[in-house]
């Protein structure tokens, strides 16, 4: 099989451990080869499934407290601790804390965006990508009534390059929301809308995030969290985001 | 003296954020809550004691996992596990590629969390730990190599075999559903 040599590297590709040039060669190949694209999708889904199944056990609060007390720094500072060392300690602790926090935040963001990428890819791979098929926002918006516990506005696309394909109800972390599919030439873009509070993400929206060649723009508006995700250029993505933000 | 104090402060700040993930990993290894607590506590005790020998600038998380894992392997459950685990896992060869992929339709809906958890549980220990470090902790190959104290090549082949074993197991389970 011609693709065996690609498939042999598929896991390494998805783990992000190929060299930069191999990564982009792989990107290009997957785009043009439907059989490798299907295998990639299956592996991504398995990775996702293992990640969420693997986050399984939580420590008891008392046990966490016990460990915290066990490793806590002595509460009485020694007299020999000069101001200099106190300042250095503070700087190091702050630095470590910040790096840890940023890394954790990136991790959470990464997991969230890969989940959304999965939803997007799975929708496009489905034989019935949308449940309400219409290019008319006045048809698509009312269709969601009674299906999701919130309402939203969709933009008028008369003067833009985007076309509305339709919409479907989707779920993120157990929260129902709307997924709208837009098209820009041959590219599909998903717009996800979820009630911010129900989602309880603990992450701030990020203007632009890139995962597996997909870009995601995200923001919060009127208590709703929006994600615009697709393989179009970041500029095109932002222009659709701007249209949505301005929708009345 | 001041240096000691400096280190104990930074140990807490470095080690405490790892608590949740270390605990999760410990319970995956031991499959038992009480044992997982003992394992995590011992890991923190050893790490705090050995923190002076920890080289600044090397990967702290990998260092902590390495302590946890060594502690587990010398525990009663760990020794029992080692005795029953097939040494096939140490084979460096990469499995043939042409195995078909998981019936993804089942996984798409994410309703089968339980199924995947059982499949992970049933993996031999060397497969289970490398898979969890990669997918759940999202460690790089280099980091896994440090945590597991094995060469990167072995990380890659073991990971590849672990994934193949998981896919096989899931395929078996799904055909019975």
């Amino acid at each position: 099989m011609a693709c065996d040599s690609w498939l042999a590297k598929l896991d390494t590709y998805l783990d992000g451990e190929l060299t930069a040039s191999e990564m982009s060669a792989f990107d290009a190949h997957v785009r043009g080869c439907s059989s490798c694209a299907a295998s990639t999708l299956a592996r991504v889904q398995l990775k996702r499934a293992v990640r969420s199944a693997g986050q399984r056990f939580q420590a008891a609060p008392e046990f966490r407290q016990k460990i915290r007390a066990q490793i806590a720094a002595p509460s009485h500072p020694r007299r020999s601790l000069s101001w200099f060392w106190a300042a250095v300690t503070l700087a190091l602790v702050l630095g470590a804390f910040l790096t840890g926090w940023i890394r954790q935040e990136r991790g959470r963001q990464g997991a969230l965006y890969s989940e959304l990428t999965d939803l997007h890819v799975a929708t496009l791979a489905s034989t019935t990508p949308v449940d309400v098929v219409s290019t008319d926002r006045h048809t698509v918006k009312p269709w969601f009534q009674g299906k999701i516990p919130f309402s939203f506005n969709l933009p008028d696309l008369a003067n833009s390059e985007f076309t509305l394909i339709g919409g479907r109800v989707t779920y993120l972390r157990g929260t129902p929301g709307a997924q709208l599919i837009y098209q820009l030439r041959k590219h599909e873009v998903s717009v996800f809308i979820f009630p911010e509070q129900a989602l309880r993400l603990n992450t701030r929206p990020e203007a632009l995030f890139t995962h597996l060649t997909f870009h995601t723009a995200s923001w919060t508006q009127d208590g709703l969290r929006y994600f615009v995700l697709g393989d179009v250029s970041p500029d095109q993505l932002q222009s659709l985001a701007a249209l949505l933000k301005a929708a009345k | 003296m001041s240096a000691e104090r400096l280190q104990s402060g930074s140990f807490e700040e470095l080690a405490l954020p790892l608590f949740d993930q270390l605990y999760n990993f410990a319970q995956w290894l031991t499959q038992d809550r009480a044992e997982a607590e003992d394992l995590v506590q011992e890991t923190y005790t050893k790490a705090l004691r050995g923190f002076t020998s920890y080289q600044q600038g090397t990967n702290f998380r990998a260092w902590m996992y390495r302590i946890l894992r060594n502690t587990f392997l010398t525990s009663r459950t760990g020794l029992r596990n080692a005795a029953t685990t097939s040494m096939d896992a140490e084979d460096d060869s990469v499995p043939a590629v042409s195995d078909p992929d998981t019936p993804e339709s089942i996984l798409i809906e994410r309703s089968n969390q339980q199924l995947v958890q059982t499949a992970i549980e049933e993996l031999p220990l060397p497969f289970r730990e490398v898979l969890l470090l990669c997918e759940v902790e999202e460690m790089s190959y280099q980091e896994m190599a440090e945590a597991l104290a094995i060469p990167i090549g072995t990380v890659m082949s073991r990971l590849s075999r672990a994934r193949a074993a998981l896919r096989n197991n899931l395929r078996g389970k799904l055909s019975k559903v």
Side-chain angles (χ1 to χ4, degrees):
Chain A
M1 287 244 291
C3 285
D4 272 4
S5 65
W6 293 104
L7 289 180
K9 284 191 279 185
L10 179 53
D11 282 329
T12 322
Y13 166 65
L14 291 176
D15 293 336
E17 297 268 356
L18 293 177
T19 63
S21 62
E22 282 179 311
M23 287 298 281
S24 45
F26 214 113
D27 283 344
H29 174 73
V30 168
R31 261 175 232 206
C33 171
S34 60
S35 122
C36 284
S39 303
T40 306
L41 174 64
R43 295 286 171 97
V44 167
Q45 272 157 353
L46 187 62
K47 267 177 92 72
R48 252 298 301 155
V50 171
R51 185 189 309 156
S52 77
Q55 289 166 346
R56 182 181 187 185
F57 303 110
Q58 283 205 322
E62 308 80 59
F63 178 59
R64 174 196 304 272
Q65 209 43 53
K66 189 173 164 188
I67 295 294
R68 189 191 290 270
Q70 181 191 332
I71 64 170
S75 52
H76 300 293
R78 309 211 178 140
R79 250 179 238 151
S80 62
L81 184 72
S82 67
W83 283 110
F84 171 75
W85 282 112
V88 171
T89 310
L90 187 68
L92 277 180
V93 162
L94 271 177
F97 175 79
L98 269 179
T99 338
W101 183 79
I102 289 168
R103 209 171 286 151
Q104 205 182 3
E105 183 79 359
R106 294 298 304 187
R108 270 198 300 235
Q109 300 265 27
L112 170 67
Y113 290 122
S114 78
E115 223 167 297
L116 287 166
T117 310
D118 279 8
L119 282 177
H120 174 69
V121 175
T123 303
L124 298 186
S126 151
T127 43
T128 51
V130 287
D131 295 328
V132 49
V133 186
S134 173
T135 52
D136 180 6
R137 62 187 168 129
H138 299 299
T139 306
V140 172
K141 185 186 158 182
W143 180 85
F144 281 101
Q145 262 175 23
K147 297 190 175 68
I148 48 171
F150 60 92
S151 169
F152 52 85
N153 291 320
L154 291 179
D156 179 8
L157 298 172
N159 295 318
S160 85
E161 304 173 282
F162 289 94
T163 331
L164 178 61
I165 302 294
R168 68 197 289 268
V169 174
T170 189
Y171 290 85
L172 181 65
R173 315 225 160 138
T175 302
Q179 180 179 9
L180 304 152
I181 313 284
Y182 286 89
Q183 198 167 39
L184 174 69
R185 291 183 284 277
K186 288 284 174 200
H187 299 276
E188 272 91 10
V189 177
S190 280
V191 174
F192 295 97
I193 310 175
F194 294 95
E196 172 95 56
Q197 278 214 307
L199 215 47
R200 273 184 274 164
L201 289 177
N202 304 324
T203 63
R204 290 157 301 118
E206 196 160 349
L208 190 71
F209 188 92
T210 302
H211 174 77
L212 288 176
T213 76
F214 288 100
H215 304 293
T216 310
S218 172
W219 70 93
T220 300
Q221 191 174 346
D222 302 330
L224 297 176
R225 181 77 169 262
Y226 289 73
F227 302 92
V228 182
L229 185 156
D231 61 350
V232 298
S233 77
D235 286 347
Q236 290 164 331
L237 205 70
Q238 296 294 6
S239 75
L240 180 58
L243 285 168
L244 284 155
K245 284 178 197 170
K248 292 264 157 45
Chain B
M1 278 257 167
S2 343
E4 241 169 64
R5 159 90 186 138
L6 172 78
Q7 287 205 328
S8 105
S10 46
F11 177 77
E12 187 183 356
E13 293 300 329
L14 284 170
L16 209 52
L18 298 175
F19 175 79
D20 288 312
Q21 51 191 100
L22 284 169
Y23 180 83
N24 180 52
F25 189 65
Q27 196 164 339
W28 271 111
L29 293 185
T30 59
Q31 321 248 25
D32 178 89
R33 178 166 285 274
E35 273 188 64
E37 290 190 354
D38 287 348
L39 178 55
V40 170
Q41 178 157 19
E42 203 174 335
T43 301
Y44 273 99
T45 308
K46 282 184 181 167
L48 182 60
R49 210 186 301 138
F51 192 53
T52 40
S53 71
Y54 163 72
Q55 290 181 321
Q56 299 288 336
T58 57
N59 189 313
F60 183 76
R61 181 165 73 147
W63 184 73
M64 288 292 285
Y65 272 91
R66 192 162 173 164
I67 296 175
L68 184 138
R69 199 175 154 270
N70 287 341
T71 310
F72 171 70
L73 291 179
T74 51
S75 73
R76 223 174 333 145
T77 315
L79 289 171
R80 202 167 48 229
N81 228 309
T84 54
T85 297
S86 139
M87 279 298 111
D88 283 359
E90 294 307 324
D91 184 351
D92 260 17
S93 67
V94 176
V97 190
S98 56
D99 78 309
D101 275 300
T102 320
E104 63 271 26
S105 53
I106 296 291
L107 297 171
I108 285 180
E109 297 306 325
R110 303 211 170 85
S111 53
N112 278 306
Q113 180 130 323
Q114 179 91 48
L115 200 75
V116 181
Q117 283 175 345
T118 316
I120 300 173
E121 244 168 41
E122 288 169 2
L123 289 177
L125 180 72
F127 287 172
R128 205 188 319 146
E129 58 182 6
V130 78
L131 193 71
L132 291 168
L133 292 181
C134 180
E135 309 293 29
V136 181
E137 306 309 336
E138 300 187 292
M139 283 190 181
S140 67
Y141 291 174
Q142 175 61 42
E143 216 176 346
M144 284 187 271
E146 284 173 36
L148 300 172
I150 52 176
I152 288 195
T154 311
V155 169
M156 290 171 73
S157 60
R158 201 180 280 182
L159 193 54
S160 171
R161 294 159 60 80
R163 282 168 167 154
L166 184 76
R167 281 197 295 275
N168 260 327
N169 184 316
L170 281 172
R171 210 173 296 129
K173 285 193 166 51
L174 292 172
S175 66
K176 277 182 225 140
V177 172

